[in-house]
Amino acid sequence: MNLKTLSFSVRIATIMLLPWNVVSAGDTTLYKMLLENGAINQEQYEQLLKYNELQKNEGKMEEEVSKPKVDTQVKANVGSNNFQYKIGGRTMIDTAFYHDDVTPLNNSTKFRRVRLFIKGKMFKDWAWKTQYEFAGSGTLKDAYLKYMGLGDTTTLYLGQFGAAGSLEDSNSSKYITLMERALPVLAFSPATRYIGMGLSTYGNNWSFKTTLAGENGKTDELERDGLGLSGRMTYAPWHENDRVLHLGISRTFRIPRGNDTIRFGTKPEIDSNNMLIDTGRITAVNSYSIFGLETAWTRGPFSLQGEYIKTNVTRENISSLAFSGWYFYGSLFLTNESRPYDVMRGDFGRVNPKHPLHKGGVGAWEIALRLSSLSLEDQDIKGGKEDNLTLGINWYVNSNIRFMLNYVKAKVKDAVTSGEDENIDIVGIRTQVDF
Amino acid sequence: MNLKTLSFSVRIATIMLLPWNVVSAGDTTLYKMLLENGAINQEQYEQLLKYNELQKNEGKMEEEVSKPKVDTQVKANVGSNNFQYKIGGRTMIDTAFYHDDVTPLNNSTKFRRVRLFIKGKMFKDWAWKTQYEFAGSGTLKDAYLKYMGLGDTTTLYLGQFGAAGSLEDSNSSKYITLMERALPVLAFSPATRYIGMGLSTYGNNWSFKTTLAGENGKTDELERDGLGLSGRMTYAPWHENDRVLHLGISRTFRIPRGNDTIRFGTKPEIDSNNMLIDTGRITAVNSYSIFGLETAWTRGPFSLQGEYIKTNVTRENISSLAFSGWYFYGSLFLTNESRPYDVMRGDFGRVNPKHPLHKGGVGAWEIALRLSSLSLEDQDIKGGKEDNLTLGINWYVNSNIRFMLNYVKAKVKDAVTSGEDENIDIVGIRTQVDF
Amino acid sequence: MNLKTLSFSVRIATIMLLPWNVVSAGDTTLYKMLLENGAINQEQYEQLLKYNELQKNEGKMEEEVSKPKVDTQVKANVGSNNFQYKIGGRTMIDTAFYHDDVTPLNNSTKFRRVRLFIKGKMFKDWAWKTQYEFAGSGTLKDAYLKYMGLGDTTTLYLGQFGAAGSLEDSNSSKYITLMERALPVLAFSPATRYIGMGLSTYGNNWSFKTTLAGENGKTDELERDGLGLSGRMTYAPWHENDRVLHLGISRTFRIPRGNDTIRFGTKPEIDSNNMLIDTGRITAVNSYSIFGLETAWTRGPFSLQGEYIKTNVTRENISSLAFSGWYFYGSLFLTNESRPYDVMRGDFGRVNPKHPLHKGGVGAWEIALRLSSLSLEDQDIKGGKEDNLTLGINWYVNSNIRFMLNYVKAKVKDAVTSGEDENIDIVGIRTQVDF
């Protein structure tokens, strides 16, 4: 390969690996000279400029990096074919201080999430993603294939991906308002990743997702293997830039596998080394179902969000069980941002500070207060009850880096670890970057 | 850095990250204008066009993406130096239903393979690859350095890579015709990845590979550590576009390490939780050798392929052992594709559907039937015998996505799991994407 | 997207993924024609050429790939924003032959390091890195966020990264002169990666780094969890191209966590399956401190380097302990290269052969001789003493590939594995590539 062919081949590009596009503006100098010298006429000059303009539009910084979807960054389509790649990930480092009561909750600094993914698009209608969690002992998170050829608004999923269910559980951990999801979401986790099939679709103000979910790759200490069918429907009567009303309902039906046991439990709302409430293994389970109601409202910098989740367990020759919980929180951006709603997914996306640090601003500042409650007690199951009050301050330095400070006051009744009531205070700090 | 220098630096490119090349055709507009206006003459115009033509040739969609070799995608050579990277991987999701006989073979959905690799080329003659298997508990697959400075057709390998041996075992799992390799290939796996050195070379109608293979990174439950020397020679009397005759012979000699034990066993031809035939640990082993004969024939949409593999084990103060097996299969593309032969490697590559789905076609459809047989019984070793009949239907949606449906009828004599003869029916479905 | 806009969008580039820049020189043909035909005048022609010259400067092969810092490869800055990615890694394959004495040290071929990283820069002042070690059972190495907005020479670290301490321990394993670091560096490893915060800064001839280091993600078999404060200060009275004098001092103070135990031990200077000297668990530890003195000197192809490291352990109600060791080595490049000094980090970087193989040269050849000594005996702790003599030959094929041959003569007094004195000879070969 000589230098001349090289000069051409170097224009080959990797479109998806960059979140922004860049264009060549240098040729305009030549055009101008040629016009001035009469080598081309005004009309030709303008035509060439128009090309350059196209370039610039093509290349202008993507304003809407806030959208958490693959597709917004998947643009180039070469002829009838395409092959695109994107690499990324997230790192969350938590430091937590526990003023424990009876059960010891050790102060710690640890990686909460260290994920890398590679995803891409091929042949117009197909996309794929592989994501691995390096924190802890390592877990395969996503590994799926998407088919988008059923229509503009419909996507078919094959592989391991999150099941349908719950606003907060569907929402990426990169975008949730407080460090951890709320107690009932953590305990029932309706959007757990399983291997299966799924279909998602949306309209102007609604979204729908249904999943047929089997097992998952990891050894699940909370015994959720089996087969499940889930659905989630969301409706947003209005969703303008900074005014959103979101309503949603979800339902999961699962049959456990093998030894017919399930288990629900959760740590407090800052990750710790002990689950204080926990059903333990519930045996002789025929099936269980999770039912969720969700709502959210934003108006400018204010937002409210809440969910109610109820889980019913039917058992062989024993009476059925019911556990339920709820959470409710309010958030306020002191710097006047608004939580961005994604109607296609029926959840919230990336916060882009109006005045990020690198532009001389203070970033975005948000305060939030959440109340949550969960009971894991019913009949013979004495899993304890817990109420959490969580106060959070978020500092979004820019679109991709935020620092979180959370204070959690946890009141536990009949903690399974101690058998006693406990009053716990926890302070947590998170450093988060996603790329 | 100002905008002008930026406009130049953006032409920098990552050549290897894309499987296709793309060229700038926009300059021709300017050339045409200049010609029409008399600013350049016809000869100059043609010279400029010729450059553009070079570009187009350079950039035309790679027709031969079917070749499974790194090198076909490693093209750019900058001055005397070069640095290229390619990222990719494969995901295979299997669902299997077992009608087991005595030994339980649990129905399951699981990841058969979830691999990511990064590979590249540097300084003209050197290339490297690192590939990791994320399915299961995680395994380092490839980690090697290649040197290509010994001549155009010769490659030296250093590191962990597949040893020389067997057509089907050498063939990438992305391109094998049925979901799993045949019984004797699975049991003896002559092309296991070890740390060592290798040399491969080829001519117009032959290929040769030899490897000096030590241990491998993983804890090998089948006890293959030690030191081995392998060689494989293939010869293709003819190999036109759709007419191929392939002949091959391979031989491996290995000395086990440490406790001098080896073990051969295999699951049926759809991956399951139990090995039904298995020699168990053979002790006091001095050395063992694997001898393979292979042939394949394609004529348009038809192809035939078969191998015979025999393994001899010499033992300290005990008589030697011999185990052997064979498989034979035929395949037919209903949509008239032909299995593409790679004479440089002596194996088969990627199937490119003539009418892929994204161009409005039906993809490629292939049916295949395989018979295979393996005996792991000799003298004191009662490892069982197994015959499998496998029927497969493959749907290649496009070059990189295929769905596979396999039915396996397994007849086992003296299954080691039950001590009985067993008759098993298995149905498997695979979703496969590679990128 | 039609072909025309494509022709523009393909100029989009991935700047960070390549260590070199490439420019388009093809346009000059057009400029020349236009000049000859009078469509542009001489002045305009020269202006256009000047642009091209800028391009060439922009794109010329980076001469200083030797600098091991992220930042030298992070250049493009788009508007007020930037998003850059770089992928890379290293593979080191070791074969070692042990002539052991009493304790068995098994001959082996294994991966010493197989690392991949992804790192990047965002929003002007921020950078991040995630690096994973795939060799062995897998370990998360780096996962940190860097802030560079405190000034041109100051960097703040958040996350998991190497603590401050020791010249050889700070130096990347890609650039150390012998296969393994010296005995006292291995045993006390002051630059272990922990989760914490750090600050590094430098001047014309000095560097300073301080870290507040907590725990680390892995289960550390050598019991180093806890909280520590470290600092390292280096000073180079002169550091011209090939004449360097480096002086340094470092200090670490750590408090162990939980069961208050620590442990120091090391394998010989070629990695093996047994630690011959080892304090075992030292209990009732209040705190320990590591004190290090370091110096290095280069003059053309010659270099000398040495360190003294002393560790004090204070114990509850028992007298304190002190262990210490040192190493000293000389190296000579037969091919006249010089070890490149990085004053910003106070360590040494990548060796670029003057005559690499791909340019018809012999690569760089280096010989080195090291003496090292370590005592892990004090009062009740009988951890043994060891002296190593290591002779090394390095062949740098090019900037990124080197082969190493090391011979180690180890003399051990009171080896903990055998209770006896041992005399061991080890030969090791390393194949190293980094990309």
Side-chain angles (χ1 to χ4, degrees):
Chain A
M1 178 182 276
N2 62 26
L3 199 62
K4 270 175 199 155
T5 57
L6 177 67
S7 74
F8 295 120
S9 70
V10 295
R11 300 193 185 178
I12 300 159
T14 305
I15 290 145
M16 271 221 48
L17 280 163
L18 289 184
W20 32 258
N21 296 350
V22 172
V23 290
S24 170
D27 294 338
T28 50
T29 310
L30 173 63
Y31 304 156
K32 208 163 187 177
M33 287 176 183
L34 293 171
L35 175 67
E36 281 168 4
N37 303 0
I40 55 173
N41 62 35
Q42 184 68 28
E43 189 188 347
Q44 290 171 331
Y45 175 71
E46 278 161 13
Q47 191 181 338
L48 289 164
L49 277 191
K50 210 168 72 187
Y51 279 171
N52 256 40
E53 206 51 44
L54 271 171
Q55 261 179 279
K56 274 186 197 118
N57 291 336
E58 192 61 27
K60 82 168 173 229
M61 199 78 61
E62 300 219 337
E63 302 290 349
E64 304 188 29
V65 276
S66 70
K67 293 202 184 146
K69 302 217 358 139
V70 178
D71 301 334
T72 61
Q73 297 179 342
V74 178
K75 281 191 169 161
N77 183 336
V78 182
S80 62
N81 198 346
N82 52 17
F83 255 84
Q84 298 156 356
Y85 292 83
K86 180 163 181 14
I87 296 166
R90 73 189 75 173
T91 298
M92 299 180 190
I93 304 158
D94 284 9
T95 301
F97 304 94
Y98 304 87
H99 187 265
D100 45 27
D101 190 350
V102 186
T103 305
L105 299 167
N106 300 330
N107 294 349
S108 66
T109 295
K110 68 173 176 185
F111 290 112
R112 183 63 181 89
R113 292 178 182 91
V114 180
R115 294 192 193 161
L116 295 178
F117 69 81
I118 170 167
K119 67 184 179 185
K121 203 177 161 186
M122 54 169 70
F123 302 112
K124 270 190 354 195
D125 295 328
W126 299 87
W128 49 271
K129 184 175 182 181
T130 304
Q131 181 170 231
Y132 197 78
E133 170 65 81
F134 289 95
S137 54
T139 318
L140 185 62
K141 302 300 286 188
D142 299 300
Y144 60 78
L145 183 62
K146 284 203 307 192
Y147 180 59
M148 297 161 293
L150 298 177
D152 282 353
T153 59
T154 304
T155 303
L156 185 70
Y157 294 81
L158 285 169
Q160 183 163 302
F161 57 93
S166 171
L167 170 55
E168 200 175 38
D169 213 22
S170 300
N171 224 118
S172 167
S173 65
K174 296 185 290 189
Y175 309 135
I176 54 176
T177 304
L178 294 155
M179 282 172 64
E180 299 296 332
R181 296 183 175 96
L183 293 174
V185 180
L186 292 171
F188 304 127
S189 55
T192 297
R193 285 168 171 92
Y194 298 101
I195 302 178
M197 302 172 59
L199 188 99
S200 74
T201 183
Y202 62 90
N204 281 335
N205 54 8
W206 58 272
S207 79
F208 176 69
K209 184 178 181 183
T210 181
T211 52
L212 180 66
E215 310 161 34
N216 54 18
K218 60 176 171 173
T219 311
D220 192 353
E221 77 279 11
L222 293 184
E223 312 277 336
R224 302 283 181 83
D225 275 359
L227 189 67
L229 183 67
S230 304
R232 176 172 176 255
M233 178 86 207
T234 72
Y235 173 60
W238 61 87
H239 60 101
E240 293 152 52
N241 269 345
D242 57 355
R243 294 190 182 204
V244 178
L245 177 62
H246 162 96
L247 305 168
I249 187 167
S250 66
R251 187 143 175 90
T252 292
F253 179 81
R254 282 189 71 83
I255 299 169
R257 190 176 70 106
N259 50 12
D260 299 340
T261 65
I262 57 162
R263 181 181 174 190
F264 301 107
T266 181
K267 301 169 182 176
E269 287 175 1
I270 284 180
D271 200 59
S272 66
N273 57 324
N274 264 310
M275 293 202 301
L276 300 169
I277 62 171
D278 177 7
T279 62
R281 293 194 176 191
I282 304 173
T283 53
V285 173
N286 283 330
S287 69
Y288 66 94
S289 68
I290 307 172
F291 172 72
L293 280 178
E294 52 187 77
T295 186
W297 171 90
T298 75
R299 178 151 185 179
F302 294 96
S303 76
L304 299 174
Q305 180 175 317
E307 293 189 71
Y308 168 80
I309 304 178
K310 181 173 184 179
T311 296
N312 289 292
V313 181
T314 65
R315 293 184 292 180
E316 192 77 27
N317 300 324
I318 325 180
S319 59
S320 295
L321 299 165
F323 309 113
S324 67
W326 56 266
Y327 75 86
F328 192 79
Y329 76 79
S331 129
L332 168 64
F333 278 97
L334 304 175
T335 42
N336 218 30
E337 286 78 6
S338 189
R339 290 181 72 204
Y341 186 66
D342 183 340
V343 72
M344 296 183 287
R345 296 170 44 104
D347 64 11
F348 291 88
R350 185 187 299 279
V351 171
N352 289 311
K354 285 178 191 288
H355 302 288
L357 201 65
H358 64 280
K359 289 187 173 168
V362 297
W365 288 85
E366 181 184 22
I367 52 171
L369 179 72
R370 181 170 65 194
L371 295 174
S372 62
S373 179
L374 174 64
S375 165
L376 295 179
E377 304 209 333
D378 193 28
Q379 300 173 56
D380 52 311
I381 304 298
K382 306 294 182 200
K385 295 181 182 184
E386 185 168 347
D387 293 302
N388 276 197
L389 179 152
T390 301
L391 185 68
I393 302 175
N394 295 331
W395 179 34
Y396 301 81
V397 176
N398 50 49
S399 311
N400 295 67
I401 296 171
R402 72 169 170 179
F403 296 93
M404 307 175 81
L405 175 66
N406 275 200
Y407 163 75
V408 174
K409 174 124 205 124
K411 283 182 170 245
V412 187
K413 201 173 158 299
D414 303 324
V416 290
T417 42
S418 63
E420 298 176 34
D421 292 359
E422 300 200 31
N423 276 288
I424 302 150
D425 297 274
I426 317 177
V427 173
I429 301 165
R430 172 169 296 173
T431 301
Q432 173 183 323
V433 56
D434 84 278
F435 44 84
Chain B
M1 178 182 275
N2 62 27
L3 200 62
K4 270 175 200 155
T5 57
L6 177 67
S7 74
F8 295 120
S9 70
V10 295
R11 301 194 184 177
I12 300 158
T14 307
I15 289 142
M16 272 219 49
L17 280 165
L18 287 186
W20 33 258
N21 296 349
V22 172
V23 289
S24 169
D27 293 338
T28 51
T29 309
L30 174 63
Y31 304 157
K32 208 163 184 178
M33 286 177 182
L34 294 171
L35 175 67
E36 281 168 5
N37 302 359
I40 56 173
N41 61 35
Q42 185 67 31
E43 189 188 347
Q44 290 171 331
Y45 175 70
E46 278 160 14
Q47 191 181 337
L48 288 164
L49 278 191
K50 211 168 72 188
Y51 277 170
N52 257 41
E53 206 51 44
L54 270 172
Q55 262 180 279
K56 274 187 197 119
N57 290 335
E58 191 60 27
K60 82 170 171 226
M61 199 80 60
E62 298 220 336
E63 302 290 350
E64 306 186 29
V65 274
S66 70
K67 293 201 185 148
K69 301 209 9 130
V70 178
D71 301 333
T72 61
Q73 296 179 342
V74 179
K75 280 190 167 163
N77 183 336
V78 182
S80 61
N81 199 345
N82 52 16
F83 256 84
Q84 297 155 355
Y85 292 83
K86 182 166 179 10
I87 295 166
R90 73 190 73 174
T91 298
M92 299 180 191
I93 304 158
D94 285 8
T95 301
F97 304 95
Y98 304 86
H99 186 263
D100 47 26
D101 191 351
V102 185
T103 305
L105 298 167
N106 301 329
N107 295 349
S108 66
T109 295
K110 68 173 177 186
F111 291 113
R112 183 66 181 85
R113 291 178 182 91
V114 180
R115 294 191 193 163
L116 295 178
F117 70 80
I118 171 166
K119 67 185 179 184
K121 204 176 160 184
M122 54 169 68
F123 302 112
K124 266 189 1 194
D125 295 328
W126 299 87
W128 50 270
K129 183 175 182 181
T130 305
Q131 182 171 230
Y132 197 77
E133 171 65 81
F134 289 95
S137 54
T139 318
L140 185 62
K141 304 300 286 187
D142 300 298
Y144 60 76
L145 183 62
K146 285 204 306 191
Y147 180 60
M148 296 162 293
L150 299 176
D152 282 353
T153 60
T154 304
T155 304
L156 186 70
Y157 294 82
L158 285 168
Q160 182 162 303
F161 57 92
S166 172
L167 170 54
E168 200 173 40
D169 213 23
S170 299
N171 224 120
S172 167
S173 65
K174 296 186 291 190
Y175 308 136
I176 54 175
T177 304
L178 293 155
M179 282 172 62
E180 297 296 332
R181 297 183 175 94
L183 293 175
V185 181
L186 292 171
F188 303 127
S189 57
T192 297
R193 285 170 169 90
Y194 297 102
I195 302 178
M197 302 172 60
L199 189 100
S200 73
T201 182
Y202 64 89
N204 282 333
N205 54 7
W206 58 271
S207 79
F208 175 69
K209 184 177 180 183
T210 182
T211 51
L212 181 66
E215 310 161 35
N216 54 21
K218 61 176 170 171
T219 312
D220 192 354
E221 79 279 12
L222 294 186
E223 311 277 336
R224 302 286 181 80
D225 273 1
L227 189 68
L229 183 66
S230 304
R232 176 171 176 256
M233 177 87 206
T234 72
Y235 173 60
W238 62 86
H239 60 100
E240 294 152 49
N241 269 345
D242 57 356
R243 294 189 182 206
V244 176
L245 178 62
H246 163 95
L247 303 168
I249 188 167
S250 66
R251 190 145 173 88
T252 291
F253 178 80
R254 282 190 73 81
I255 300 169
R257 189 176 71 105
N259 51 10
D260 298 341
T261 65
I262 58 161
R263 181 182 175 188
F264 301 107
T266 181
K267 301 169 183 177
E269 286 175 0
I270 284 179
D271 200 58
S272 65
N273 56 324
N274 262 311
M275 292 203 300
L276 300 169
I277 61 172
D278 177 6
T279 62
R281 293 194 173 191
I282 304 173
T283 53
V285 173
N286 282 330
S287 70
Y288 66 94
S289 68
I290 307 174
F291 171 72
L293 280 177
E294 53 186 77
T295 187
W297 171 90
T298 74
R299 178 152 183 178
F302 294 96
S303 77
L304 299 174
Q305 180 174 320
E307 292 190 70
Y308 168 79
I309 304 179
K310 182 173 182 177
T311 296
N312 289 292
V313 181
T314 65
R315 295 184 290 180
E316 191 77 26
N317 298 325
I318 326 181
S319 60
S320 296
L321 298 166
F323 310 111
S324 67
W326 56 266
Y327 76 88
F328 191 79
Y329 76 80
S331 127
L332 168 63
F333 278 98
L334 304 175
T335 41
N336 219 31
E337 286 78 7
S338 189
R339 291 181 71 204
Y341 186 65
D342 183 339
V343 72
M344 294 183 288
R345 296 171 44 105
D347 64 11
F348 291 88
R350 186 188 298 279
V351 171
N352 289 311
K354 285 178 191 291
H355 302 288
L357 201 66
H358 63 280
K359 290 187 173 169
V362 297
W365 287 86
E366 181 185 23
I367 53 171
L369 179 72
R370 181 169 66 194
L371 295 174
S372 63
S373 180
L374 174 64
S375 165
L376 294 179
E377 303 210 333
D378 193 28
Q379 300 174 55
D380 52 311
I381 303 299
K382 306 294 184 201
K385 294 179 181 183
E386 184 167 346
D387 294 302
N388 276 197
L389 179 151
T390 301
L391 185 68
I393 302 176
N394 295 331
W395 179 33
Y396 301 81
V397 175
N398 50 48
S399 311
N400 294 66
I401 296 171
R402 72 169 169 178
F403 297 93
M404 307 176 81
L405 174 66
N406 276 200
Y407 163 75
V408 174
K409 174 124 205 125
K411 282 182 170 247
V412 187
K413 202 173 157 298
D414 304 325
V416 291
T417 41
S418 63
E420 297 175 35
D421 293 357
E422 299 200 32
N423 276 288
I424 301 150
D425 297 272
I426 317 177
V427 173
I429 301 166
R430 172 168 297 173
T431 301
Q432 173 182 324
V433 56
D434 84 278
F435 42 87
Chain C
M1 178 182 275
N2 63 27
L3 201 62
K4 269 173 200 156
T5 58
L6 177 67
S7 73
F8 295 121
S9 72
V10 296
R11 300 190 185 180
I12 300 159
T14 306
I15 289 143
M16 272 222 46
L17 280 163
L18 289 184
W20 34 257
N21 296 351
V22 172
V23 289
S24 170
D27 294 338
T28 51
T29 310
L30 174 63
Y31 304 156
K32 209 164 186 178
M33 287 177 183
L34 293 171
L35 174 67
E36 281 168 5
N37 303 358
I40 55 174
N41 60 35
Q42 184 68 29
E43 190 188 347
Q44 291 172 331
Y45 175 70
E46 277 161 14
Q47 191 182 339
L48 288 164
L49 278 191
K50 211 168 73 187
Y51 277 169
N52 257 41
E53 207 52 42
L54 270 172
Q55 263 180 279
K56 275 189 196 114
N57 290 336
E58 191 61 26
K60 83 169 171 226
M61 199 78 61
E62 299 219 336
E63 302 290 349
E64 305 188 30
V65 276
S66 69
K67 292 200 185 150
K69 302 214 359 135
V70 178
D71 301 334
T72 61
Q73 297 179 342
V74 178
K75 281 190 167 162
N77 184 336
V78 182
S80 62
N81 199 346
N82 52 16
F83 255 84
Q84 298 155 356
Y85 291 83
K86 183 167 179 7
I87 295 166
R90 72 190 74 176
T91 298
M92 299 181 188
I93 304 158
D94 284 9
T95 301
F97 305 95
Y98 304 87
H99 187 263
D100 46 27
D101 191 350
V102 185
T103 304
L105 298 168
N106 301 329
N107 295 348
S108 67
T109 296
K110 68 174 177 188
F111 290 114
R112 183 64 180 86
R113 292 178 183 90
V114 180
R115 294 191 194 163
L116 294 179
F117 70 79
I118 171 166
K119 66 185 178 184
K121 204 177 161 184
M122 55 170 69
F123 302 110
K124 269 190 357 197
D125 294 328
W126 299 88
W128 50 270
K129 183 176 183 181
T130 305
Q131 181 170 231
Y132 197 79
E133 171 66 81
F134 289 95
S137 54
T139 318
L140 185 62
K141 304 298 287 187
D142 299 299
Y144 60 76
L145 182 63
K146 284 204 306 193
Y147 180 61
M148 296 161 295
L150 299 176
D152 283 353
T153 59
T154 303
T155 303
L156 185 70
Y157 294 81
L158 284 169
Q160 182 163 303
F161 57 92
S166 171
L167 170 54
E168 200 174 39
D169 213 23
S170 299
N171 225 117
S172 167
S173 65
K174 297 186 289 189
Y175 309 135
I176 54 176
T177 303
L178 294 154
M179 280 172 63
E180 298 296 332
R181 297 183 174 94
L183 293 175
V185 181
L186 292 172
F188 304 127
S189 56
T192 297
R193 285 169 171 91
Y194 298 101
I195 302 178
M197 300 172 60
L199 187 102
S200 73
T201 182
Y202 63 89
N204 282 333
N205 53 8
W206 58 271
S207 79
F208 176 69
K209 184 178 180 182
T210 181
T211 52
L212 181 66
E215 310 161 35
N216 54 20
K218 61 176 171 174
T219 311
D220 193 353
E221 77 279 14
L222 293 184
E223 311 278 334
R224 301 285 182 81
D225 273 0
L227 189 69
L229 183 67
S230 304
R232 177 172 176 254
M233 177 85 207
T234 73
Y235 172 60
W238 61 86
H239 60 101
E240 294 153 50
N241 269 343
D242 56 356
R243 295 189 182 204
V244 177
L245 177 62
H246 163 95
L247 304 168
I249 187 166
S250 65
R251 189 143 173 90
T252 292
F253 178 80
R254 282 190 72 81
I255 299 169
R257 189 176 71 106
N259 51 10
D260 298 341
T261 65
I262 56 161
R263 182 181 174 190
F264 301 106
T266 180
K267 300 168 183 178
E269 287 175 2
I270 285 180
D271 200 58
S272 65
N273 56 324
N274 262 310
M275 292 203 301
L276 299 169
I277 61 172
D278 178 6
T279 61
R281 293 193 174 192
I282 304 172
T283 54
V285 173
N286 283 330
S287 69
Y288 66 94
S289 67
I290 307 173
F291 171 72
L293 281 177
E294 52 185 77
T295 186
W297 171 90
T298 75
R299 177 151 185 179
F302 294 96
S303 77
L304 299 173
Q305 180 176 318
E307 292 189 71
Y308 168 78
I309 303 178
K310 182 172 181 179
T311 296
N312 291 292
V313 181
T314 64
R315 295 185 291 180
E316 192 76 27
N317 299 325
I318 325 180
S319 59
S320 295
L321 299 166
F323 310 112
S324 67
W326 56 267
Y327 75 88
F328 191 79
Y329 76 80
S331 128
L332 168 64
F333 278 97
L334 305 175
T335 42
N336 219 31
E337 286 78 7
S338 190
R339 291 181 71 204
Y341 186 66
D342 183 340
V343 72
M344 294 182 289
R345 295 171 44 105
D347 64 12
F348 291 88
R350 186 188 297 278
V351 171
N352 289 310
K354 284 179 191 290
H355 303 287
L357 201 67
H358 64 279
K359 289 187 174 169
V362 297
W365 288 85
E366 181 185 23
I367 53 172
L369 180 72
R370 181 171 64 194
L371 295 174
S372 62
S373 180
L374 174 63
S375 165
L376 295 179
E377 303 210 333
D378 193 28
Q379 302 172 55
D380 52 311
I381 304 299
K382 306 295 182 199
K385 294 180 181 182
E386 184 168 347
D387 293 302
N388 275 197
L389 178 151
T390 301
L391 185 67
I393 302 176
N394 294 331
W395 179 33
Y396 301 79
V397 175
N398 51 50
S399 311
N400 294 67
I401 297 171
R402 72 170 169 177
F403 296 93
M404 307 176 82
L405 174 66
N406 275 200
Y407 162 74
V408 174
K409 176 124 203 123
K411 282 180 171 249
V412 186
K413 201 170 159 302
D414 304 325
V416 290
T417 42
S418 63
E420 298 176 34
D421 292 358
E422 300 200 33
N423 275 288
I424 301 151
D425 297 273
I426 317 177
V427 173
I429 301 165
R430 172 168 296 173
T431 300
Q432 173 182 324
V433 56
D434 83 278
F435 42 87

